[in-house]
Amino acid sequence: MSSTELPEALAATVAGPRVSAVRVAEGERLRTVTLPGLTLNVRERPSDRTGLPPALYVHGLGGSSQNWSALMPLLSDIVDGEAVDLPGFGDSPPPDDGDYSVTGHARAVIRLLDAGGRGPVHLIGNSLGGAVTTRIAALRPDLVRTLTLVSPALPEIRVQRNAWPTALLAVPGAAALLTRLTKGWTAEQRVRGVTALCYGDPGRVTEEGFRNAVEEMERRLALPYFWDAMARSTRGLVDAYTLGGQHGLWRQAERVLAPTLLVYGGRDQLISFRMASRAARAFRDARMLTLPDAGHVAMMEYPETVATAIRELIRERGGAGPSEHVGAPARTTRTKGSDGPTGRRDGESGRGGDGRGQQINRDDNAGDEGNGS
């Protein structure tokens, strides 16, 4: 279970007129895609170059397309990037059918891609977005060139202790109780809690970044559907964890044909680092970047390092269709060192990013999975 919002950060939303506008970083622009029963807000990062392959970024539970604003410009010279606000999050209103399941979110993204004719794309997901994009890659391989998963919310039996409050949002009545208990919390207090939960080192958040996060928190708390979207999406993720057979997320991970980059943080309080080894085995064409000092949102903490790994994936494996990679040997990179995280290509030595790295093969352990499943 994972979230980019503390459950305590949720308060009763107040119905009323449209809230303040969503923040748009320099170089970004927003557009609205209206489909039958569905309206999606899309954040674009136009490039000076034309003819670049498309990329789509999908945020996690409680997040928004703004979670990708640090990473998108670092890849704008090699991909035509867009980030979507999932239904009920960011500036996307709730879906007409009220479906916040993982499958419902995946269907919304698939409809967006089909409507725009942008597939196949380099698909990049974090947390809940990692579960959503895994399902998309399994069901619609024609839409995916490469897949990058940052702390993907894939099922684990021994859920992280700090993830349990988020999981409890799926219990009927829990939302109302948490709302009453946190009624007096300020937006600043809530953001500090979210940062402490999601970052390996909260000190990496700049003053400007913190102010922007507080502003966004205030905006979200004024949305009349914010609480409902959080609770229903949490319930949808919990339900996805219980599915077995061909609908199970791990079974679908095994069906993914696209070359896959897995990114795990050593200080992630929501997705266990132990799951890295299982993920490396599940995805048939996988490489891994582990960041010892990163938390749950590595693309926000260490965007340069994550961008370098994605760039290498696209350069080496992103030019061919998914069917050409069936049975290809998968490679995995693990990083370590006290200086900070980095990634290293297979068989190379030297320094890159923020620290030193060491490569391991897929058959080596990337951590004790320890869940018996």
Side-chain angles (χ1 to χ4, degrees), residues 316-337:
E316 297 174 9
R317 307 291 283 140
S323 62
E324 297 180 43
H325 302 301
V326 178
R331 296 179 179 178
T332 304
T333 300
R334 179 175 61 185
T335 67
K336 65 181 181 180

Side-chain angles (χ1 to χ4, degrees), residues 44-49 51-57 68-82 118 122-125 146-148 150 261 263 299 302-315:
E44 301 175 331
R45 168 64 68 166
S47 174
D48 294 334
R49 299 177 59 188
L52 295 177
L56 184 68
Y57 303 81
W68 303 104
S69 288
L71 181 65
M72 289 175 69
L74 301 178
L75 296 172
S76 63
D77 63 319
I78 61 169
V79 296
D80 176 17
E82 294 184 347
R118 283 175 58 81
H122 296 290
L123 195 56
I124 303 165
T146 66
L147 179 65
T148 296
V150 182
L261 170 65
V263 182
M299 73 287 187
Y302 298 100
E304 294 86 359
T305 307
V306 174
T308 297
I310 295 176
R311 185 180 295 273
E312 292 182 352
L313 174 71
I314 292 174
R315 185 182 70 243

Side-chain angles (χ1 to χ4, degrees), residues 170-355:
V171 178
L177 175 61
L178 288 171
T179 295
R180 291 194 298 270
L181 292 175
T182 64
K183 184 177 181 179
W185 288 24
T186 67
E188 181 174 328
Q189 288 174 315
R190 300 173 194 279
V191 170
R192 292 194 187 281
V194 171
T195 303
L197 180 68
C198 294
Y199 277 69
D201 178 10
R204 295 186 67 87
V205 180
T206 64
E207 291 185 7
E208 180 183 5
F210 182 79
R211 289 195 302 270
N212 291 337
V214 171
E215 178 182 324
E216 174 63 11
M217 177 65 73
E218 292 172 340
R219 189 193 71 83
R220 293 184 185 187
L221 294 176
L223 292 171
Y225 53 80
F226 175 64
W227 174 244
D228 185 60
M230 277 293 300
R232 288 174 181 257
S233 291
T234 302
R235 192 173 302 128
L237 188 55
V238 171
D239 289 344
Y241 273 34
T242 64
L243 291 176
Q246 63 179 345
H247 301 293
L249 284 169
W250 283 116
R251 180 68 63 84
Q252 292 190 329
E254 295 171 353
R255 293 168 52 188
V256 172
L257 304 179
T260 302
L261 170 65
L262 303 166
V263 182
Y264 281 84
R267 296 183 180 178
D268 194 332
Q269 301 181 62
L270 295 166
I271 296 297
S272 174
F273 185 74
R274 294 188 302 268
M275 301 307 295
S277 61
R278 178 170 185 177
R281 294 193 300 270
F283 290 90
R284 66 179 69 193
D285 186 358
R287 62 180 65 191
M288 186 180 298
L289 175 68
T290 62
L291 308 179
D293 297 329
H296 190 60
V297 287
M299 73 287 187
M300 300 171 71
E301 279 195 273
Y302 298 100
E304 294 86 359
T305 307
V306 174
T308 297
I310 295 176
R311 185 180 295 273
E312 292 182 352
L313 174 71
I314 292 174
R315 185 182 70 243
E316 297 174 9
R317 307 291 283 140
S323 62
E324 297 180 43
H325 302 301
V326 178
R331 296 179 179 178
T332 304
T333 300
R334 179 175 61 185
T335 67
K336 65 181 181 180
S338 59
D339 295 347
T342 184
R344 176 175 294 177
R345 295 182 56 198
D346 302 333
E348 292 186 354
S349 62
R351 179 180 294 272
D354 299 315

